[in-house]
Amino acid sequence: MSQLLVINSSGRHNRSITRRLTQQFAECWLMAHPDGKVTERDLALQPPSAVNEAWIASAFTSAQDRTPQMQEALTESETLLAEIEAADAIVLGAPMYNFGLPSQLKAYFDQIIRVSRSFAYVPEADFPYQPLLADKPVTVIISVGNGDLLPGGPMSQMNFLEPHLLTMLEFIGLHNVEFVRVGYEEFQDGRVKNALESAEIAIARKAAA
Ligand SMILES: Cc1cc2nc3c(=O)[nH]c(=O)nc-3n(C[C@H](O)[C@H](O)[C@H](O)COP(=O)(O)O)c2cc1C
């Protein structure tokens, strides 16, 4: 059975553009995969824990040397990674907050990017990191208040959201990444309406692929 993992990170539950579009993606995906299963991870309702002393000590101890308490410190990380591994496709809603990721989404990546689990450290290699997760399609739905921040726009150099997300996803092995972008949410004029229409068309196509 095919599985879609829907990850939402908007702090808004009403009026959220990314939530509306991840939901549309899931509906279109289910039409194309009638026997499929959709799993949702809501990072605003259940914010991932910030990594702490116990997490770091455990993550940097080899698996066979971990005490039961150390293993316990990585339970949340394991749960989140198992969801990714079980999925055949992922759709991620990522609003821009202060030119980058919402903190709950950053906390999520801090939980899932783990040495010897989602990436390997290979000091002798020219590029000393090797991704460990199996690749799968990831559709990232971005919404920004000011569309001038999107790629090609006059403020694009202030967009740290997309390069950061892409770097982290590729770092753990998710290279098949496509972005769907909605700009100008703050302006509430024709530009956001047009952007939403284009996004909905792109999502229907990608979800059915
Ligand atoms: C805390 C916060 C910070 C934001 N920072 C930015 C920003 O730096 N640049 C921008 O263009 N829009 C910014 N916005 C606007 C959001 O990106 C925009 O409202 C987007 O649609 C939010 O996604 P959502 O509709 O799924 O909630 C911010 C919104 C919030 C709530």
Side-chain angles (χ1 to χ4, degrees):
M1 183 176 51
S2 201
Q3 283 202 47
L4 172 70
L5 174 61
V6 179
I7 306 169
N8 278 308
S9 63
S10 171
R12 298 202 286 193
H13 284 267
N14 303 321
R15 296 175 296 117
S16 161
I17 287 178
T18 55
R19 283 179 189 274
R20 167 176 157 182
L21 294 175
T22 56
Q23 187 181 338
Q24 187 212 336
F25 188 102
E27 287 165 4
C28 293
W29 184 88
L30 271 176
M31 272 191 261
H33 304 83
D35 299 326
K37 181 179 165 207
V38 174
T39 306
E40 186 181 356
R41 171 59 54 183
D42 192 321
L43 303 177
L45 281 182
Q46 283 184 294
S49 310
V51 299
N52 58 14
E53 176 74 41
W55 190 100
I56 295 165
S58 183
F60 288 93
T61 299
S62 61
Q64 66 270 21
D65 294 333
R66 281 181 199 134
T67 63
Q69 288 89 339
M70 284 176 147
Q71 284 166 20
E72 175 67 24
L74 297 178
T75 307
E76 191 177 356
S77 170
E78 276 303 323
T79 301
L80 298 174
L81 280 161
E83 278 175 2
I84 295 175
E85 287 170 327
D88 299 289
I90 299 173
V91 60
L92 166 61
M96 177 183 282
Y97 284 0
N98 300 314
F99 311 102
L101 282 73
S103 56
Q104 51 271 24
L105 186 53
K106 176 60 165 54
Y108 177 78
F109 279 100
D110 288 344
Q111 286 284 344
I112 63 169
I113 301 180
R114 228 173 81 202
V115 69
S116 305
R117 180 62 178 84
S118 52
F119 76 94
Y121 177 55
V122 192
E124 62 279 7
D126 286 344
F127 183 75
Y129 307 104
Q130 188 186 318
L132 293 180
L133 297 190
D135 202 4
K136 57 196 73 189
V138 181
T139 304
V140 181
I141 298 176
I142 301 260
S143 182
V144 302
N146 188 338
D148 286 358
L149 286 156
L150 293 177
M155 290 166 66
S156 59
Q157 81 283 0
M158 292 164 75
N159 181 343
F160 298 96
L161 175 63
E162 294 192 30
H164 196 179
L165 275 175
L166 193 58
T167 299
M168 292 189 291
L169 290 166
E170 290 188 333
F171 189 68
I172 56 177
L174 301 172
H175 303 282
N176 188 357
V177 181
E178 289 193 288
F179 287 92
V180 174
R181 306 174 176 95
V182 177
Y184 302 108
E185 184 273 339
E186 273 166 11
F187 292 78
Q188 295 298 326
D189 57 20
R191 288 176 296 182
V192 71
K193 187 169 169 286
N194 291 342
L196 266 171
E197 280 169 9
S198 306
E200 283 168 1
I201 292 166
I203 284 168
R205 189 171 41 78
K206 286 180 203 302

